[in-house]
Amino acid sequence: MIPVMEFRQFSEQQPAFRVLKPWWDVFTDYLSVIMLMIGVFGCTLQVMQDKIICLPQRTASPSDNASEVEVKSLLHLQSNISAVPKEMTGLKTDLDLQQYSFINQMCYEKALHWYAKYFPYLVLIHTVVLMVCSNFWFKFPGSSSKIEHFISMLGKCFDSPWTTRALSEVSGENPEEKDSKKTSAFKSNITVCPGEGSVEKTQSLRSIPEKIVVEKPSASVLDKKEGEQAKALFEKVKKFRLHVEEGDILYLMYVRQTVVKVFKFLLIIAYNSSLVNKVRNRVHCEVEIQDMTGYKEFECNHTMAHLFSKLSYCYLCLVAVYGLTSLYTSYWLFYRSLKEYSFEYVRQETGINDIPDVKNDFAFMLHMIDQYDPLYSKRFAVFLSEVSENKLKQLNLNHEWTAEKLRLRLQTNANNRLELQLFMLPGLPDTVFELTELQSLKLEMINNVTVPASISQLEDLQELSLYQCSLKLHTTATSFLKENLKVLRVKFDDNRELPNWLYGLRNLEELALTGSLSPDASKNIVLESLREMKCLKTLSLKSNLTKIPQSIVDVSSHLQRLYLHNDGTKLVMLNNLKKIPNLLELELVRCDLERIPHAVFSLTNLQELDLKENNIRSIEEIISFQHLRKLTCLKLWYNSIMYIPEHIKKLGSLERLYFSYNKIEILPSHLFLCNKLRYLDLSNNDIRFIPPEIGVLQSLQYFSVTCNKIENLPDELFFCKKLKTLKLGKNSLSIISPKISYLALLTYLELKCNHFEFLPQELGYCRALKRSGLIVEDALFETLPSDIRDQMKAE
């Protein structure tokens, strides 16, 4: 006898796959088991019992001289069949036992209908085929790998401690509470992540309450390993979704096996219903064996006919039920959109609007899970949400960056504010808002930052820097920043990243924007009105402007400092500068200017002008600066200026003048009539001679002619007794005057890369000059007397 368990290999091997078996597959599996038992039972009877019993049909009276041996043989045969009494009362034949066996076999082969002979084997074969069809998609390599991956992923999600935290975060519970909740179903077969919910908009799902069980208190924080595992699971879900949504092999395999089952059902019903009446008890047999037995016609009894007839009708009923179930499955497959799955109902129910709809095989598996238990797909939807992922990341981030760790990173910035700088973090730790002493917050390359209402705890926060960060503000946070923020710096790659809330910062005093404000140089600038910034005094724009933005005029009445740094784009229209009369400082850097803009000359309050890195060749217009009587600093460095006009003498208010990195060859003596100069930088030019009139500059404290072609220094230079910094490096000097001793305040002297053979010992009178401030070759320093060297080395 063949045990039924031997056929178990035709069904699924992993109990975990049950989650993808809807009710009709489970039902048909049970029907298959019953049909399999019918087939096995029939085959067993065929093997263990006689199949047919035949008796010769007389056409004439038997011979009267039948031997006694033949009578005994017939008595013995009939006694085995138990169909006649022990005493022989019927007709006698002259056949022996071997002849009866031969007749039974011949009639079984020739006279018995094939359906009556092979019915149990047909049942067995058909049932095995149906069982294979029901579970073929679990075995096929292209589909089974995706299913195994999916089931494994669900199990790991459920086992992760972060799963419970994700669910509590999504449901709005306090993550620090000790009580946690988990799914109470599916634990016997597979575990699924509570954070992974997704649900189709069906009436049955709406009526299903979420099953939760309260567990023992869990730790409020999780270790780093668990956090990394949770992060890996999120990435795994993303990659799996991308992979599975590319094809529909699971859907096609399931459709094909269902079609095969329907076809098989029709085939079985068709031929079985027409042949079931062929299973009869009495069978007339006529075979040409008269020469061996003396008889040609026989009457036979099919011993299993009655039982096989009942089994066949029962089998037909089971196949009919199986077929109707398969037809329902076909209807479900073809009349519903199973390659698309919408989480609209979940989005409405949970308020998580970023749960994506899925398609193809991913959608099909979720539809199948809904038939098993809709709760799984509902939870899976939450786990697909980026909001859920970000909340988990936030918990991990808060655990890693504690308030104590952040306090160790506090530094004082250039504005003398206590600053915290965070770089390339996955988010903004909530613990930042526990640093109540924080005055400046600098965030670099941190994506998807959401500033909560708790920022209002930072009462001293005045400065915020956002470098390539996408920032979203809570309503309360926006109100707080409007009232408290004084300085805002934003660096962006795309003008769409420019936050709209910055235009409402009414107490802002300094705004710095770095990024492309004009996608097309010939079109409008993407910068909205700054009218609400009533306190804005400093505006810095590092962009690709072709004209002064009209929005700057909105703050012209109180704007004092304007810094425009272009990326080399030519700044053509500067007329709006005339509408900003209160400017004190103006920078036009890398704007491809060829002349000093005439609009600048109307800025009567201007104190500092920087035209660095332009293409200015001539500065004849410099005479117009005489109307700017408050101008104290002029920076014309990094240009292509070849000479300085004599009109420079008109700029009597100048205190700092930058002409470095130009092509100046001659210094006019009129330059030194600007007798208020304290800072003069002429480095990196082609100057060969310094006029003696330099001695007029009695206020000069900084003088640099580094990287020129100077061969001699006038003695008058050393009459500038207030000099503290003197840079003479990289020239052609061979001697330095002993009058350098007049520079008693000198603290920095650069002589490197010249032609000196020795240093004058008069350097010893420069008491403020130390070895660290003397930039010279070591060998040349050794030419000084030892006492002077010791004096300089003494700090």
Side-chain angles (χ1 to χ4, degrees):
M1 182 175 178
I2 304 174
V4 178
M5 295 298 291
E6 293 295 328
F7 296 93
R8 189 177 181 181
Q9 58 180 321
F10 297 108
S11 60
E12 81 278 7
Q13 293 179 349
Q14 300 185 30
F17 286 0
R18 294 177 189 171
V19 71
L20 293 176
K21 291 183 75 70
W23 67 264
W24 52 79
D25 278 350
V26 176
F27 181 61
T28 54
D29 282 349
Y30 282 114
L31 291 177
S32 297
V33 171
I34 298 174
M35 290 188 289
L36 185 64
M37 293 177 65
I38 292 175
V40 172
F41 179 63
C43 291
T44 304
L45 292 178
Q46 287 277 69
V47 173
M48 298 182 64
Q49 296 190 20
D50 293 333
K51 303 173 183 177
I52 193 171
I53 298 175
C54 298
L55 290 176
Q57 185 175 359
R58 295 179 181 275
T59 56
S61 299
S63 175
D64 294 332
N65 56 359
S67 66
E68 187 176 348
V69 176
E70 292 172 344
V71 175
K72 291 181 179 178
S73 299
L74 183 59
L75 285 172
H76 178 70
L77 176 61
Q78 291 179 342
S79 64
N80 288 339
I81 302 173
S82 302
V84 295
K86 292 182 180 179
E87 295 181 358
M88 182 176 178
T89 58
L91 297 176
K92 296 182 180 180
T93 66
D94 56 353
L95 301 178
D96 59 17
L97 183 59
Q98 288 76 14
Q99 288 175 317
Y100 275 112
S101 297
F102 177 74
I103 292 169
N104 291 343
Q105 291 295 328
M106 290 298 294
C107 289
Y108 180 79
E109 295 294 336
K110 299 295 184 180
L112 192 63
H113 195 274
W114 66 267
Y115 182 76
K117 289 190 291 185
Y118 303 118
F119 164 73
Y121 304 108
L122 292 174
V123 172
L124 190 62
I125 293 173
H126 289 318
T127 304
V128 170
V129 171
L130 292 175
M131 293 176 68
V132 171
C133 289
S134 295
N135 299 282
F136 186 72
W137 72 317
F138 292 136
K139 304 292 185 179
F140 187 72
S143 57
S144 63
S145 59
K146 291 184 179 180
I147 295 174
E148 290 175 2
H149 192 185
F150 182 62
I151 299 300
S152 173
M153 182 179 63
L154 293 180
K156 291 179 181 178
C157 288
F158 189 83
D159 291 336
S160 173
W162 279 92
T163 302
T164 303
R165 299 299 299 271
L167 184 59
S168 64
E169 286 293 313
V170 169
S171 62
E173 296 176 4
N174 187 348
E176 299 301 324
E177 290 180 357
K178 297 288 185 176
D179 293 335
S180 61
K181 299 179 181 181
K182 283 188 178 181
T183 306
S184 59
F186 199 33
K187 228 174 184 182
S188 61
N189 300 327
I190 181 174
T191 55
V192 72
C193 181
E196 300 180 71
S198 163
V199 66
E200 186 185 8
K201 191 174 179 182
T202 59
Q203 185 65 30
S204 60
L205 180 59
R206 296 179 183 178
S207 62
I208 295 177
E210 195 164 319
K211 307 169 190 175
I212 55 176
V213 291
V214 179
E215 292 192 339
K216 295 179 181 180
S218 59
S220 59
V221 290
L222 302 172
D223 59 33
K224 184 177 181 180
K225 181 180 179 181
E226 291 168 340
E228 292 299 324
Q229 289 174 348
K231 191 184 299 183
L233 284 176
F234 276 110
E235 292 299 321
K236 191 172 183 180
V237 170
K238 289 181 181 178
K239 293 179 180 179
F240 179 77
R241 178 191 168 199
L242 292 175
H243 172 64
V244 174
E245 283 189 324
E246 292 176 355
D248 56 357
I249 185 173
L250 294 178
Y251 175 77
L252 292 177
M253 290 300 300
Y254 194 81
V255 168
R256 290 168 183 170
Q257 71 182 32
T258 303
V259 170
V260 171
K261 288 194 292 185
V262 172
F263 175 77
K264 195 73 175 174
F265 150 70
L266 296 175
L267 177 64
I268 295 173
I269 291 294
Y271 84 82
N272 273 268
S273 57
S274 62
L275 297 177
V276 68
N277 60 347
K278 299 297 183 180
V279 182
R280 295 190 295 265
N281 284 353
R282 296 193 56 151
V283 178
H284 180 74
C285 176
E286 184 175 350
V287 289
E288 296 295 337
I289 57 174
Q290 189 172 0
D291 54 342
M292 292 188 295
T293 63
Y295 297 94
K296 182 179 180 181
E297 297 181 8
F298 304 89
E299 286 295 327
C300 303
N301 177 37
H302 185 196
T303 57
M304 297 291 107
H306 181 74
L307 180 59
F308 280 7
S309 178
K310 302 302 181 184
L311 290 177
S312 62
Y313 282 111
C314 180
Y315 173 67
L316 281 175
C317 293
L318 292 173
V319 170
V321 176
Y322 190 103
L324 293 175
T325 306
S326 298
L327 289 174
Y328 172 81
T329 306
S330 302
Y331 171 81
W332 184 77
L333 286 171
F334 293 112
Y335 288 90
R336 297 189 63 181
S337 181
L338 299 180
K339 296 174 72 173
E340 296 177 358
Y341 193 97
S342 175
F343 292 108
E344 180 62 30
Y345 175 66
V346 181
R347 291 193 285 264
Q348 294 177 359
E349 184 182 68
T350 62
I352 305 176
N353 297 321
D354 69 325
I355 300 176
D357 295 336
V358 295
K359 59 183 180 179
N360 289 337
D361 280 345
F362 205 2
F364 179 66
M365 284 193 289
L366 290 174
H367 281 294
M368 297 293 281
I369 289 176
D370 279 351
Q371 299 300 320
Y372 187 82
D373 189 345
L375 183 60
Y376 297 150
S377 55
K378 179 180 178 181
R379 290 181 177 272
F380 197 73
V382 179
F383 201 71
L384 285 171
S385 166
E386 288 189 9
V387 172
S388 174
E389 181 180 5
N390 291 337
K391 288 184 177 181
L392 285 178
K393 289 181 179 179
Q394 191 67 35
L395 289 174
N396 194 26
L397 196 63
N398 295 341
H399 174 50
E400 181 179 359
W401 293 91
T402 61
E404 292 73 16
K405 184 176 180 179
L406 292 174
R407 279 193 175 90
L408 297 176
R409 299 175 64 91
L410 292 177
Q411 295 180 344
T412 303
N413 64 8
N415 295 331
N416 200 29
R417 291 190 175 105
L418 202 58
E419 182 177 81
L420 173 64
Q421 180 177 358
L422 300 176
F423 178 71
M424 288 188 70
L425 294 183
L428 182 63
D430 292 332
T431 48
V432 169
F433 308 114
E434 298 177 15
L435 308 179
T436 54
E437 68 272 26
L438 190 64
Q439 296 174 310
S440 173
L441 180 59
K442 185 176 182 180
L443 307 177
E444 295 188 51
M445 300 180 71
I446 303 178
N447 294 324
N448 301 321
V449 178
T450 301
V451 178
S454 55
I455 194 176
S456 58
Q457 300 175 14
L458 307 181
E459 297 179 354
D460 295 333
L461 184 66
Q462 298 181 352
E463 186 174 331
L464 179 61
S465 301
L466 305 173
Y467 293 166
Q468 295 179 334
C469 295
S470 55
L471 191 70
K472 297 180 181 179
L473 295 181
H474 188 274
T475 305
T476 306
T478 303
S479 303
F480 172 79
L481 293 180
K482 283 182 179 180
E483 298 296 331
N484 293 72
L485 203 61
K486 303 295 183 184
V487 180
L488 176 63
R489 299 183 181 90
V490 181
K491 183 177 180 180
F492 52 94
D493 293 328
D494 191 335
N495 58 76
R496 289 174 294 184
E497 299 175 7
L498 200 61
N500 292 325
W501 48 263
L502 72 86
Y503 300 106
L505 302 176
R506 51 179 173 267
N507 288 325
L508 196 68
E509 297 180 0
E510 179 180 342
L511 174 62
L513 302 178
T514 304
S516 177
L517 290 171
S518 180
D520 189 335
S522 63
K523 295 187 178 180
N524 294 332
I525 298 167
V526 184
L527 186 63
E528 298 181 15
S529 174
L530 307 177
R531 189 174 293 109
E532 292 190 23
M533 299 183 181
K534 304 295 184 182
C535 300
L536 190 64
K537 296 180 180 179
T538 303
L539 177 60
S540 174
L541 301 176
K542 294 183 180 180
S543 186
N544 56 343
L545 303 176
T546 57
K547 60 182 180 180
I548 303 297
Q550 182 64 30
S551 54
I552 295 180
V553 180
D554 298 336
V555 293
S556 60
S557 61
H558 44 81
L559 190 65
Q560 298 180 359
R561 287 171 287 275
L562 177 61
Y563 307 131
L564 301 180
H565 293 224
N566 261 9
D567 58 358
T569 303
K570 190 175 184 63
L571 188 61
V572 180
M573 300 178 64
L574 296 96
N575 293 332
N576 283 334
L577 283 178
K578 298 178 181 180
K579 301 176 183 179
I580 316 176
N582 296 322
L583 271 185
L584 302 179
E585 297 180 15
L586 175 63
E587 289 185 7
L588 301 175
V589 178
R590 297 191 66 193
C591 296
D592 196 26
L593 301 175
E594 297 180 358
R595 294 272 184 173
I596 299 175
H598 290 280
V600 174
F601 304 136
S602 61
L603 305 176
T604 55
N605 291 314
L606 196 64
Q607 298 179 6
E608 183 175 329
L609 176 63
D610 188 351
L611 300 176
K612 180 182 178 181
E613 293 187 67
N614 282 283
N615 196 26
I616 299 175
R617 292 182 172 85
S618 173
I619 54 173
E620 289 294 339
E621 303 89 345
I622 203 170
I623 189 172
S624 300
F625 279 135
Q626 64 183 326
H627 303 296
L628 309 182
R629 302 189 181 279
K630 296 182 180 179
L631 187 66
T632 60
C633 179
L634 179 60
K635 298 180 180 180
L636 297 171
W637 48 351
Y638 294 89
N639 279 282
S640 301
I641 301 171
M642 302 185 69
Y643 70 97
I644 302 175
E646 63 179 19
H647 310 305
I648 192 75
K649 64 183 179 182
K650 300 288 187 178
L651 309 182
S653 61
L654 276 183
E655 297 180 3
R656 291 182 292 160
L657 183 59
Y658 296 74
F659 272 118
S660 59
Y661 291 93
N662 279 283
K663 299 178 181 179
I664 301 171
E665 297 182 359
I666 299 175
L667 288 179
S669 57
H670 301 86
L671 171 64
F672 305 107
L673 296 179
C674 302
N675 52 17
K676 291 185 179 180
L677 279 177
R678 293 184 293 106
Y679 188 107
L680 180 59
D681 188 353
L682 299 168
S683 60
N684 292 277
N685 281 281
D686 296 323
I687 301 171
R688 297 178 179 272
F689 176 74
I690 298 177
E693 286 81 1
I694 192 174
V696 177
L697 303 179
Q698 291 299 304
S699 299
L700 193 63
Q701 298 179 15
Y702 180 101
F703 182 60
S704 175
V705 286
T706 304
C707 294
N708 280 281
K709 301 176 181 178
I710 300 172
E711 298 179 355
N712 295 293
L713 294 175
D715 289 345
E716 288 80 2
L717 173 63
F718 304 108
F719 295 160
C720 304
K721 297 182 178 180
K722 292 184 178 180
L723 266 178
K724 295 181 180 180
T725 300
L726 180 59
K727 295 184 177 183
L728 305 172
K730 297 183 180 180
N731 280 281
S732 301
L733 298 172
S734 58
I735 190 171
I736 189 167
S737 172
K739 293 183 180 180
I740 195 172
S741 60
Y742 296 170
L743 305 180
L745 301 178
L746 193 66
T747 58
Y748 187 94
L749 176 61
E750 181 182 348
L751 300 173
K752 205 169 187 178
C753 297
N754 279 283
H755 301 153
F756 295 115
E757 295 182 359
F758 64 91
L759 295 178
Q761 61 182 3
E762 284 78 8
L763 281 175
Y765 292 99
C766 302
R767 300 291 182 181
L769 185 64
K770 301 299 179 182
R771 179 65 183 96
S772 59
L774 179 59
I775 310 303
V776 69
E777 292 85 353
D778 291 339
L780 198 58
F781 179 72
E782 294 297 326
T783 62
L784 289 172
S786 59
D787 58 332
I788 296 177
R789 295 200 305 270
D790 294 340
Q791 172 188 320
M792 288 187 174
K793 290 179 180 179
E795 296 296 338

